[in-house]
Amino acid sequence: MEYRNLGRSGLRVSRACLGTMNFGTANGLAATGEAEARRIVDAFLDAGGTLIDTADLYHRGETEEIVGRAVKGRRDAVVLATKGAMPTDHEPRGLSRRRLTAALDASLRRLGTDYVDLYQCHLWDEGTPIEETMATLHDFVRAGKVRYLGCSNFTAAQIVRAQWAAERVGGTPFVSLQPQYSLLVRVIEEEILDVCHQLGLGTIAYGTLGGGLLSGRYRRDAQPDPDSRMGRLLTSSAPGSRGWAESLLTSRHLDIAEEVAAVAAGLGATPADVALAWVAGRPGVTSVVLGPRSADQLTAALASLDRALPQEARSRLDEISHERRAPSNGTFFPPPLHRRSTAGEPAADVTAG
């Protein structure tokens, strides 16, 4: 396993990051029970992985509880990361001192630890002064509850504002960004990666398989299998599910998926191998989030990160996936699979990162 410094910090993390959004059965269309989740965590650590990422949002906190029990006894071998600020059953989303303090304390209880190595703001909060947020996060570091700070789904301008605010309040700056990045969504290449480099943030890329579309399971001339992720989304009653699936199953995305499959066939690889290897080899990517639902899927994903794509294959993929018109905020959000709907909150407030 390869290890890299996370941004302009001394924190060393594995090139592979174990994403845990699938761990838990409290809610959601994709679910991995605790026994299999523990096998995945053990296999990841045994392979030399260190960075494990979760969030208070996932499965209403059940995911953090599973992760906490899975790493018990091996805590010192883990770079444990979680995220806060998303809405829960009882609280709106936000980065206020009150909201973040309650969120972190609850995460620590569920994870069964007195500190996390990396605490990340899950989404920007326009309603809270960023100085308040950065001062609060600095207090967490001073109290020993958090070692390093990061953010997820921030735009380039928001990253700049946060780093400047940390300096103004004499606080701790971010060392990482967790952005969505795949052959389907490359908007972070326009400004965000450069800002991260200039301001000392490493990147932990999530959504590398484009919601599963780049796995090779979906074709434009056939309806998704009812048991597949897209099939379940299209028939789910959860708010936003069908709309999210339709936003993925576009002509452009299917063109890219078909090209990925063609490249994979020529290399004797799977489409998922190629999609993961493409992201892992991109400049500026520190670590890649893997979201397996089984230990076998983890083994296959880890092997993909070691695959070096030939330049011809990279050129083909770069050309077909070039974004002529980028999304306005660089992300497309999955439906609210991990919390109950809260009156007055838009369904698009929940991300996969």
Side-chain angles (χ1 to χ4, degrees), residues 197-332:
H197 175 72
Q198 295 296 328
L199 297 183
L201 280 71
T203 56
I204 305 168
Y206 79 85
T208 53
L209 295 183
L213 196 69
L214 299 176
S215 66
R217 298 189 65 184
Y218 307 103
R219 300 172 57 88
R220 69 174 71 246
D221 56 355
Q223 284 293 317
D225 186 307
D227 292 329
S228 68
R229 186 177 191 180
M230 289 298 114
R232 292 193 298 270
L233 284 169
L234 287 169
T235 58
S236 172
S237 60
S241 295
R242 184 178 183 86
W244 184 50
E246 291 173 345
S247 76
L248 286 170
L249 294 168
T250 65
S251 179
R252 173 184 176 269
H253 290 171
L254 290 168
D255 285 344
I256 295 170
E258 289 172 358
E259 188 67 17
V260 170
V263 168
L267 298 175
T270 69
D273 287 340
V274 170
L276 282 171
W278 183 87
V279 173
R282 300 299 292 176
V285 173
T286 308
S287 187
V288 178
V289 177
L290 310 177
R293 285 194 284 169
S294 69
D296 288 344
Q297 286 184 358
L298 172 67
T299 299
L302 289 173
S304 300
L305 295 185
D306 293 328
R307 179 178 292 275
L309 295 179
Q311 184 55 50
E312 180 184 356
R314 284 196 168 276
S315 296
R316 287 177 62 184
L317 295 172
D318 288 348
E319 174 59 28
I320 191 68
S321 64
H322 177 69
E323 292 191 81
R324 274 72 180 179
R325 185 170 62 86
S328 60
N329 67 349
T331 60
F332 49 73

Side-chain angles (χ1 to χ4, degrees), residues 144-168:
K145 294 181 178 181
V146 171
R147 300 291 189 260
Y148 295 89
L149 301 173
C151 56
S152 182
N153 302 307
F154 276 33
T155 66
Q158 289 163 355
I159 294 168
V160 171
R161 289 171 63 184
Q163 297 298 76
W164 284 356
E167 184 175 351
R168 285 196 299 276

Side-chain angles (χ1 to χ4, degrees), residues 44-59:
F44 179 73
L45 296 178
D46 290 345
T50 60
L51 181 56
I52 298 179
D53 179 73
T54 187
D56 61 355
L57 171 74
Y58 301 159
H59 294 274

Side-chain angles (χ1 to χ4, degrees), residues 6-348:
L6 188 59
R8 204 174 296 157
S9 78
L11 180 61
R12 301 280 286 176
V13 298
S14 52
R15 188 185 187 199
C17 171
L18 179 59
T20 61
M21 192 176 73
N22 289 328
F23 292 3
T25 57
N27 201 356
L29 298 174
T32 296
E34 182 161 357
E36 186 63 21
R38 288 193 178 206
R39 283 191 284 272
I40 293 170
V41 170
D42 286 342
F44 179 73
L45 296 178
D46 290 345
T50 60
L51 181 56
I52 298 179
D53 179 73
T54 187
D56 61 355
L57 171 74
Y58 301 159
H59 294 274
R60 301 175 189 160
E62 183 190 9
T63 302
E64 287 184 323
E65 293 173 351
I66 291 173
V67 169
R69 290 189 289 266
V71 303
K72 188 175 182 179
R74 306 181 73 174
R75 177 67 182 88
D76 290 344
V78 176
V79 177
L80 186 58
T82 193
K83 299 183 286 291
M86 283 298 195
T88 66
D89 290 345
H90 307 293
E91 292 279 359
R93 87 177 195 211
L95 297 177
S96 68
R97 180 176 293 273
R98 178 181 182 277
R99 180 72 181 89
L100 282 175
T101 300
L104 175 60
D105 287 346
S107 288
L108 293 175
R109 286 195 300 271
R110 287 189 292 263
L111 289 165
T113 184
D114 57 3
Y115 75 97
V116 292
D117 297 284
L118 178 65
Y119 193 61
Q120 303 157 100
C121 298
H122 210 152
L123 199 68
W124 180 264
D125 176 15
E126 201 64 61
T128 299
I130 188 59
E131 291 81 5
E132 177 181 336
T133 298
M134 301 310 293
T136 301
L137 294 172
H138 179 61
D139 288 345
F140 295 164
V141 174
R142 292 183 62 191
K145 294 181 178 181
V146 171
R147 300 291 189 260
Y148 295 89
L149 301 173
C151 56
S152 182
N153 302 307
F154 276 33
T155 66
Q158 289 163 355
I159 294 168
V160 171
R161 289 171 63 184
Q163 297 298 76
W164 284 356
E167 184 175 351
R168 285 196 299 276
V169 302
T172 304
F174 290 141
V175 301
S176 66
L177 170 73
Q178 190 173 145
Q180 184 173 192
Y181 192 26
S182 73
L183 282 160
L184 303 186
V185 179
R186 297 178 57 182
V187 70
I188 68 168
E189 295 172 356
E190 294 181 8
E191 294 180 317
I192 293 174
L193 285 175
D194 184 58
V195 165
C196 286
H197 175 72
Q198 295 296 328
L199 297 183
L201 280 71
T203 56
I204 305 168
Y206 79 85
T208 53
L209 295 183
L213 196 69
L214 299 176
S215 66
R217 298 189 65 184
Y218 307 103
R219 300 172 57 88
R220 69 174 71 246
D221 56 355
Q223 284 293 317
D225 186 307
D227 292 329
S228 68
R229 186 177 191 180
M230 289 298 114
R232 292 193 298 270
L233 284 169
L234 287 169
T235 58
S236 172
S237 60
S241 295
R242 184 178 183 86
W244 184 50
E246 291 173 345
S247 76
L248 286 170
L249 294 168
T250 65
S251 179
R252 173 184 176 269
H253 290 171
L254 290 168
D255 285 344
I256 295 170
E258 289 172 358
E259 188 67 17
V260 170
V263 168
L267 298 175
T270 69
D273 287 340
V274 170
L276 282 171
W278 183 87
V279 173
R282 300 299 292 176
V285 173
T286 308
S287 187
V288 178
V289 177
L290 310 177
R293 285 194 284 169
S294 69
D296 288 344
Q297 286 184 358
L298 172 67
T299 299
L302 289 173
S304 300
L305 295 185
D306 293 328
R307 179 178 292 275
L309 295 179
Q311 184 55 50
E312 180 184 356
R314 284 196 168 276
S315 296
R316 287 177 62 184
L317 295 172
D318 288 348
E319 174 59 28
I320 191 68
S321 64
H322 177 69
E323 292 191 81
R324 274 72 180 179
R325 185 170 62 86
S328 60
N329 67 349
T331 60
F332 49 73
F333 296 136
L337 303 181
H338 308 283
R339 67 173 174 86
R340 296 185 183 92
S341 298
T342 303
E345 292 176 0

